[in-house]
């Protein structure tokens, strides 16, 4: 299985993130959707993110994932592998 890799990742006014994939597919994720899909151990057992969730920062994790820092609480422990983001985009389409 080939994992799609982003060509470009953009944060839109801290409210959403847009990913353009190598195959030119474009997915847009709101901050709330990303936070609700956070794969970290703590988030899998916590209620959905509150309104006002923002994307404060995005950074690459190796060559397979991104890390996201959310506001207003500073949550930053979730690592989003590219295959997870690609499949999440397919689910939301």
């Amino acid at each position: 299985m080939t994992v799609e890799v982003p060509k470009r990742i953009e944060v839109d006014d801290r409210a959403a993130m847009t990913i353009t994939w190598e195959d030119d597919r474009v997915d847009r994720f709101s901050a709330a959707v990303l936070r609700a899909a956070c794969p970290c151990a703590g988030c899998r057992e916590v209620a959905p993110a509150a309104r006002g969730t923002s994307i404060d920062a995005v950074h690459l994790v190796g060559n397979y994932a991104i890390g996201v820092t959310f506001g207003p609480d500073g949550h930053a422990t979730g690592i989003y592998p590219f295959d997870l983001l690609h499949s999440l985009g397919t689910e939301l389409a």
Side-chain angles (χ1 to χ4, degrees):
M1 179 173 106
T2 302
V3 175
E4 288 292 329
V5 176
K7 274 199 306 195
R8 184 173 44 246
I9 300 171
E10 300 173 288
V11 176
D12 309 322
D13 292 330
R14 296 180 41 189
M17 180 174 65
T18 301
I19 298 177
T20 304
W21 299 96
E22 285 184 326
D23 65 0
D24 290 323
R25 184 176 105 185
V26 177
D27 291 320
R28 188 168 194 273
F29 305 98
S30 70
V33 164
L34 282 175
R35 181 65 189 266
C38 181
C40 82
C43 284
R44 284 188 269 159
E45 301 192 14
V46 176
R51 284 206 263 199
T53 298
S54 63
I55 299 169
D56 289 350
V58 175
H59 65 276
L60 288 173
V61 176
N63 61 356
Y64 72 96
I66 60 170
V68 179
T69 301
F70 293 98
D73 64 355
H75 178 70
T77 58
I79 295 173
Y80 294 79
F82 296 149
D83 59 344
L84 171 66
L85 291 166
H86 198 267
S87 65
L88 182 60
T90 301
E91 290 175 18
L92 296 174

